[in-house]
Structure formats: C-alpha cells, structure tokens
Amino acid sequence: MEITIAGTGLAGGAWPELLPDRRPVLVVPAPAAPPPHPVDGWTREAACPHDTPHPGWAATAAPPHLTIHHPTGQPWYDAPVTAGREWWRALRTHEVLLLVTGPFTNVFDFRRAAEAGTLAVLTVARPVRTDRNGGYIAKDLLDGVRVADL
C-alpha cells in the first residue's frame, strides 16, 4: 500500500503555519499555484506590512477547503488545507492571512529559498461572513463579484 502525504508540504502541496502571535500563514510551493507577480501586490521584503490586506485579493474558506481569489476574480489557490482546528480558528479570528510562496517544491526546499531571499509574500483579507454553504467570505469582496459567483 502506498501512502501519499499531500497538503503537508511533502508532496508539493501547500501547508499551514501559525506565526508566533498566532496569525495564520499558508505556505504555497511553486507547483501548487501560479507564480507571484509584483504588480499583483507580492513582495520579497521581509518588513512588508503583514497586517494590511492587499486590495482585491479575497479568501473563502469552508474547512478543509480554502480558495484564494486573485483580483481578476480567478482562483489563485483552490484546494483543501490539511490544518488543525487552531489554524482554522486563527483564520476566522485574525484580520489577515499571510501567503508565502517562491521557488521551492516542498518543505525541504523552503529554507534554501528563504536564505536566498526568493520568497514572495502577500497579505489577504480574512474571511468574516458565512456564505450559504457554511464557509467564510473575505470582508473585502472582489469588485463586481457577487457572493453567489464565489
């Protein structure tokens, strides 16, 4: 029997983390999502304001599923997140979700990408309202996108 561990960073999937102050982070390897572009708000600056959501980006969550919407309305990330209750609670409680991505394919490549300064970060508005399916919708919905379209 073959066991695949997906969603924990071992098989190219995204994995959840909590910062020391308990803010939620989603670490997304390169194969799991489109590459980041500075014009979309991504930065490589470690000192970027992690408490200010970037306009236009939105998150919807219906655990264990998480969708991050690009400002165009298209999903940038749309998959289950293998996270415990504490992470999902932090996602509901805090004002933001920090996304981290870069040229790494799994948890073992992450440190090398970080040391090389090639990680990109983006802050997304937290989900705050419940949708009709029991998920959470970001407080800053995309312009022109109705809740029913999400």
Side-chain angles (χ1 to χ4, degrees):
M1 173 194 314
E2 180 179 324
I3 297 175
T4 303
I5 301 174
T8 61
L10 297 177
W15 69 89
E17 295 284 351
L18 287 172
L19 293 174
D21 66 359
R22 313 318 287 165
R23 283 182 295 163
V25 176
L26 186 66
V27 183
V28 185
H37 296 289
V39 71
D40 293 332
W42 291 93
T43 181
R44 297 195 188 287
E45 299 296 322
C48 76
H50 300 305
D51 55 350
T52 305
H54 196 277
W57 288 83
T60 58
H65 202 86
L66 179 68
T67 304
I68 306 297
H69 295 277
H70 184 273
T72 63
Q74 298 299 314
W76 178 82
Y77 176 85
D78 188 19
V81 175
T82 306
R85 185 177 302 167
E86 184 180 12
W87 190 85
W88 291 107
R89 187 176 298 127
L91 183 62
R92 287 191 310 270
T93 303
H94 288 271
E95 294 294 322
V96 295
L97 169 63
L98 182 64
L99 301 176
V100 179
T101 192
F104 58 94
T105 58
N106 59 48
V107 70
F108 301 111
D109 297 339
F110 180 80
R111 174 176 236 144
R112 193 171 337 137
E115 289 171 347
T118 58
L119 296 179
V121 297
L122 177 81
T123 305
V124 177
R126 74 176 171 132
V128 295
R129 288 190 292 161
T130 303
D131 71 8
R132 67 178 183 269
N133 297 317
Y136 301 95
I137 299 176
K139 64 180 173 184
D140 296 327
L141 290 175
L142 302 173
D143 292 336
V145 177
R146 298 173 302 138
V147 172
D149 296 332
L150 298 174

